[in-house]
Amino acid sequence: MLLLTGDLVQDETRQGYERLKIYLDDLGLPAFSIPGNHDDPDLLSAVLTDARSQVGGHTLIGEWCLVFLSSYVPGAAFGRLSADELSRLDELLKNHATKHLLIALHHHPIPMDSAWLDTVGLENSEEFWRIVDVHSNVRCILWGHVHQDLQQKRNDVLLLATPSTCAQFKPKVDQFEIDDKPPAYRRLLLEASGKVSTEVVWLED
């Protein structure tokens, strides 16, 4: 499957999403998307919701429950999880207590140690962590937005940021700066045991 963590169309046009859909259809894989701050959620849902594509919500795959959260705030670069999204997350964690949980969102819920970037992260991350921290079945949380690689742990939860399929942001700098690294994507293998194996693939060519 494909997981697209937002900022899918820079100009927020229907034509852009329709072009993206052509590429996704050619790949022939199930695609799950969430909106980023550069997206139009209504257009995204209108174009990429069909028998093989899903925007938001969640899905069950084997021993896993994958939850796709929208942190989109109209007209803002920062993100926020609405009360409804937080409530939905809490309910899914409770209702699927025997499943391993992967949570995907666009905005980073932890500091990235970059002064400019951390002004446009998840505004209500404390509310998010209050829910996550009391559930022992969360295995992995991943996000887009930051255009750089990060892999660390919070308690036993794997935290992942993924480089962009476009340009990268230079990490740990005070001001916005483009890195010289190439486009990339992340591979994930979710095992029935709850183990997550992952690697970043850099498109050097």
Side-chain angles (χ1 to χ4, degrees), residues 1-36:
M1 58 169 279
L2 298 171
L3 176 54
L4 290 74
T5 54
D7 286 355
L8 307 183
V9 173
Q10 177 69 21
D11 60 0
E12 304 174 31
T13 63
R14 186 179 186 93
Q15 292 85 351
Y17 292 111
E18 288 173 346
R19 184 176 180 181
L20 173 61
K21 189 175 188 307
I22 291 171
Y23 295 141
L24 296 178
D25 287 347
D26 285 346
L27 290 172
L29 297 171
F32 298 87
S33 304
I34 51 179

Side-chain angles (χ1 to χ4, degrees), residues 8 20 28-29 54 57 64 76 82 95 110 114 116 123 125 147-148 152-153 158-159 171 174 180 186 197 204-205:
L8 307 183
L20 173 61
L29 297 171
Q54 176 179 319
W64 285 81
S82 68
N95 293 339
I110 62 168
S114 182
W116 76 272
E123 188 182 58
S125 59
H147 294 239
Q148 59 192 262
Q152 62 185 54
K153 281 201 169 186
L158 181 63
L159 307 180
D174 290 340
D180 58 2
R186 182 180 291 281
S197 300
E204 300 290 352
D205 297 330

Side-chain angles (χ1 to χ4, degrees), residues 114-117 169-178:
S114 182
W116 76 272
L117 189 55
F169 297 160
K170 193 167 185 177
K172 300 181 186 294
V173 294
D174 290 340
Q175 303 295 326
F176 172 79
E177 188 175 344
I178 293 292

Side-chain angles (χ1 to χ4, degrees), residues 128-143:
F128 171 74
W129 289 114
R130 272 199 295 270
I131 293 171
V132 171
D133 285 344
V134 298
H135 294 280
S136 61
N137 54 332
V138 179
R139 303 287 177 255
C140 181
I141 298 169
L142 59 88
W143 56 89

Side-chain angles (χ1 to χ4, degrees), residues 30-46:
F32 298 87
S33 304
I34 51 179
N37 51 290
H38 289 292
D39 284 306
D40 182 318
D42 292 335
L43 285 177
L44 173 61
S45 295

